[in-house]
Amino acid sequence: MTTTQHRAEAKAAVRKPEPRPSARERGTRLLAALFLAPTVIGVLVFTVVPIAGSVVLSFFHWNVIDSPTFAGTDNYRAAFTDDTVLVSFSNTLVFMFFAVALQLLLALVLALALDNRLPGWLRSTFRSAFFFPLVLSAASISVVMKYLFNQEFGVINWLLGHVGIDPVPWLTSEDSAMAAVVLVYVWQQFGFSFLLFVGGLNNIPKEIHEAASLDGATGIRKHLAITLPLLSPTLLVASVVGIINALQVFEQPYVLTDGGPGDSTRTVVMVIYQSAFEQLRFGEASAVGVLLFALILAVTALQFRLSRRFVHYQ
């Protein structure tokens, strides 16, 4: 080994110790940790621990009264062979598709309609009005909507009767019950997507639209070629949040139809609630909850996978 190599090794061996953080830096780190602690503790206590507990509990039979007994994969096998569970997953997927599609379409159309075409005070009024249902309780809204959709004395059928349409059994027919649940859900939830689209439209440079107008692009063609591609990141966020929320729908079908008629509007979260708190089958309910969690992860991962092709960032 040469002298030069010995010197290099000696220099590498004798390294200067890293300077100790000053009192001010330690105080800043401690303050940051204190600010982060409530959020981190909240996520651990109310999210991570319950998820882990549900996964563990899904391998047991437990009715709260007796001690848990190990069940292996029996709860999962029961879920895959239970017609009610399978129908609930089918209903939830159908609900998700129509509710999210209608919610995004309605929010996008209204956001485009209000984009720089009304006075500022009027745009603010509409934004507040569209967002207001979102801050209300879904259960209370569903109670009111249950009366509005009532076949005998509901306001909706009363209005339809004035235009010559016979009363519609909104909540008592398998053909219309899901449609009523979707309409109530969309009416309350579209305000969130609407605000996202309003913010996304405000971030699109006006010069792009002006240049497109000079090139002869107008109306729908301009929105399809310019607005939607530039709005695609906002569309991704709105669709991800919308699908996650729709897959967990509970209040609207529970209050409006109680899952009926039959099982036509029974959703996965309703099955989880009924299995756990009405039938005291917490192991089976946890297994269904784990399957729903896996479905949400799979759908979200698929969305982000597809976003590589359809989402365009400026």
Side-chain angles (χ1 to χ4, degrees):
M1 186 176 293
T2 63
T3 306
T4 304
Q5 291 175 330
H6 280 296
R7 291 177 180 176
E9 291 179 357
K11 289 181 179 180
V14 182
R15 294 181 179 177
K16 295 181 180 179
E18 295 183 2
R20 298 181 60 184
S22 63
R24 183 175 181 179
E25 291 176 341
R26 291 197 299 270
T28 302
R29 294 177 183 177
L30 178 60
L31 185 62
L34 290 176
F35 276 113
L36 290 173
T39 301
V40 173
I41 294 174
V43 170
L44 289 174
V45 173
F46 297 106
T47 303
V48 177
V49 172
I51 290 176
S54 296
V55 173
V56 173
L57 188 58
S58 67
F59 294 99
F60 289 82
H61 292 305
W62 188 44
N63 61 3
V64 181
I65 301 173
D66 302 320
S67 299
T69 57
F70 185 71
T73 59
D74 289 349
N75 292 331
Y76 290 96
R77 285 198 295 267
F80 281 111
T81 57
D82 190 330
D83 291 338
T84 301
V85 175
L86 296 178
V87 168
S88 70
F89 271 96
S90 176
N91 291 339
T92 302
L93 289 174
V94 171
F95 172 87
M96 177 204 72
F97 176 80
F98 287 103
V100 174
L102 183 58
Q103 174 184 334
L104 295 181
L105 179 62
L106 180 62
L108 181 59
V109 169
L110 290 175
L112 291 172
L114 295 180
D115 186 37
N116 292 330
R117 296 189 180 185
L118 296 174
W121 66 271
L122 193 55
R123 289 204 304 272
S124 300
T125 301
F126 277 114
R127 291 173 187 174
S128 301
F130 293 152
F131 187 77
F132 180 70
L134 193 62
V135 304
L136 300 177
S137 166
S140 61
I141 288 178
S142 300
V143 170
V144 175
M145 290 295 182
K146 188 172 183 177
Y147 285 101
L148 295 182
F149 279 102
N150 187 278
Q151 181 179 356
E152 303 298 332
F153 53 82
V155 174
I156 295 177
N157 277 341
W158 178 76
L159 293 174
L160 293 177
H162 279 67
V163 295
I165 300 177
D166 294 332
V168 178
W170 292 103
L171 305 178
T172 57
S173 171
E174 293 185 2
D175 297 328
S176 57
M178 181 62 78
V181 174
V182 169
L183 290 175
V184 173
Y185 179 87
V186 170
W187 181 82
Q188 182 184 16
Q189 295 290 328
F190 87 94
F192 176 77
S193 300
F194 169 77
L195 287 186
L196 287 180
F197 291 145
V198 168
L201 290 172
N202 290 334
N203 288 331
I204 297 177
K206 302 302 178 184
E207 294 80 5
I208 297 178
H209 286 292
E210 293 173 357
S213 299
L214 293 176
D215 291 337
T218 57
I220 297 178
R221 181 180 178 185
K222 182 165 64 174
H223 288 313
L224 292 176
I226 297 174
T227 305
L228 288 182
L230 294 177
L231 200 61
S232 56
T234 307
L235 279 167
L236 174 63
V237 174
S239 64
V240 169
V241 175
I243 287 177
I244 291 175
N245 290 336
L247 287 174
Q248 300 177 83
V249 63
F250 172 74
E251 294 95 335
Q252 289 85 358
Y254 184 76
V255 175
L256 288 171
T257 63
D258 194 24
D263 287 329
S264 60
T265 59
R266 195 173 307 280
T267 62
V268 178
V269 179
M270 286 185 64
V271 170
I272 295 173
Y273 171 80
Q274 291 165 344
S275 297
F277 299 105
E278 293 181 2
Q279 303 169 8
L280 297 182
R281 297 187 298 154
F282 283 89
E284 292 87 338
S286 297
V288 177
V290 171
L291 293 176
L292 177 61
F293 180 70
L295 175 63
I296 293 174
L297 283 181
V299 174
T300 304
L302 178 62
Q303 285 181 274
F304 280 104
R305 179 82 175 182
L306 295 176
S307 69
R308 300 176 185 177
R309 180 178 300 179
F310 299 107
V311 177
H312 308 279
Y313 295 95
Q314 300 183 31

